[in-house]
Amino acid sequence: GQQLNQSPQSMFIQEGEDVSMNCTSSSIFNTWLWYKQDPGEGPVLLIALYKAGELTSNGRLTAQFGITRKDSFLNISASIPSDVGIYFCAGLGNAGNMLTFGGGTRLMVKP
Amino acid sequence: KAGVTQTPRYLIKTRGQQVTLSCSPISGHRSVSWYQQTPGQGLQFLFEYFSETQRNKGNFPGRFSGRQFSNSRSEMNVSTLELGDSALYLCASSLASTRGTDTQYFGPGTRLTVL
């Protein structure tokens, strides 16, 4: 099925560095969601974006809904060890309440 | 407010058996969606239930089915299990106030292993 193109696939950074990841799609979405998943657990919602151009922050996290409605990015500032995990973008379009997910970005933080 | 709960958390079955997974949504949420997560295919949509009716369905064989009860709790059933059905099965709930703008909240998942 359709998937979102999420990049990078993995990142290994130093504690304190900023991180940026993004998702692109060939289709437009009405909602972009960013989740974080720890091993063996379900995805936890980080940020929800509902409007093209919207820029939303949640603590050290900032995400934007692209103007074309086909992309979104997530920034994490001043990374800390507990930021380690897999980050997923997900889009919600007109095909009902069905999320389309990116392949995930695995973030590793070196103390 | 309690989050989405899923039972059981872990399950081991053998090929050919069937399995039923359960999901209790966040109180007040009327939509329940199910997803399968595997290392190879990532997160894939199985189906969504709203008001006891299946509203959307992904590209999975008929061996995968589900239902929703009047209290919005949902069950997912997989019959004639295959090795490839080994996965983390995730349930997500949402208010379903407006289609296409709903925010979905996930449960911890059920890890199914088929031997």
Side-chain angles (χ1 to χ4, degrees):
Chain A
Q2 179 197 11
Q3 277 227 320
L4 302 177
N5 296 313
Q6 185 172 349
S7 64
Q9 285 189 329
S10 62
M11 303 181 73
F12 189 26
I13 62 169
Q14 194 78 33
E15 182 178 359
E17 288 183 350
D18 296 345
V19 170
S20 185
M21 58 192 80
N22 69 84
C23 271
T24 60
S25 169
S26 56
S27 306
I28 63 172
F29 288 104
N30 299 322
T31 299
W32 282 92
L33 305 170
W34 284 91
Y35 293 90
K36 177 176 182 263
Q37 187 176 28
D38 292 326
E41 298 295 328
V44 174
L45 182 68
L46 298 174
I47 291 182
L49 303 157
Y50 302 108
K51 198 173 165 184
E54 180 181 354
L55 184 72
T56 297
S57 293
N58 178 9
R60 294 178 296 106
L61 277 59
T62 301
Q64 184 158 29
F65 191 142
I67 288 289
T68 64
R69 294 168 64 193
K70 292 183 179 181
D71 63 329
S72 177
F73 72 75
L74 174 71
N75 286 341
I76 305 173
S77 63
S79 58
I80 58 179
S82 62
D83 291 334
V84 165
I86 302 179
Y87 292 79
F88 289 98
C89 62
L92 201 53
N94 291 321
N97 218 15
M98 176 183 85
L99 286 175
T100 300
F101 280 88
T105 295
R106 181 180 296 274
L107 179 63
M108 294 159 280
V109 179
K110 185 177 178 184
Chain B
K1 205 182 236 188
V4 179
T5 58
Q6 291 186 247
T7 56
R9 290 293 311 274
Y10 303 92
L11 210 46
I12 299 176
K13 293 285 187 179
T14 56
R15 278 180 297 175
Q17 287 188 310
Q18 74 160 13
V19 67
T20 299
L21 313 181
S22 180
C23 171
S24 292
I26 293 171
S27 177
H29 284 196
R30 299 167 64 193
S31 168
V32 174
S33 299
W34 288 89
Y35 295 83
Q36 181 196 65
Q37 185 176 29
T38 60
Q41 299 298 317
L43 278 147
Q44 291 189 292
F45 173 78
L46 279 156
F47 30 65
E48 181 217 1
Y49 285 86
F50 176 77
S51 290
E52 302 177 62
T53 302
Q54 187 181 88
R55 195 160 69 165
N56 289 293
K57 189 176 190 305
N59 288 329
F60 279 82
R63 298 184 299 106
F64 292 82
S65 63
R67 59 177 175 167
Q68 186 180 34
F69 301 95
S70 58
N71 61 359
S72 293
R73 190 177 71 84
S74 176
E75 286 182 348
M76 188 192 102
N77 185 76
V78 187
S79 62
T80 320
L81 284 165
E82 301 177 359
L83 294 178
D85 297 334
S86 294
L88 181 67
Y89 289 89
L90 293 159
C91 162
S93 78
S94 65
L95 277 170
S97 55
T98 306
R99 289 183 75 171
T101 62
D102 249 346
T103 301
Q104 295 186 23
Y105 298 87
F106 283 85
T110 294
R111 170 72 63 186
L112 172 65
T113 302
V114 182
L115 303 176

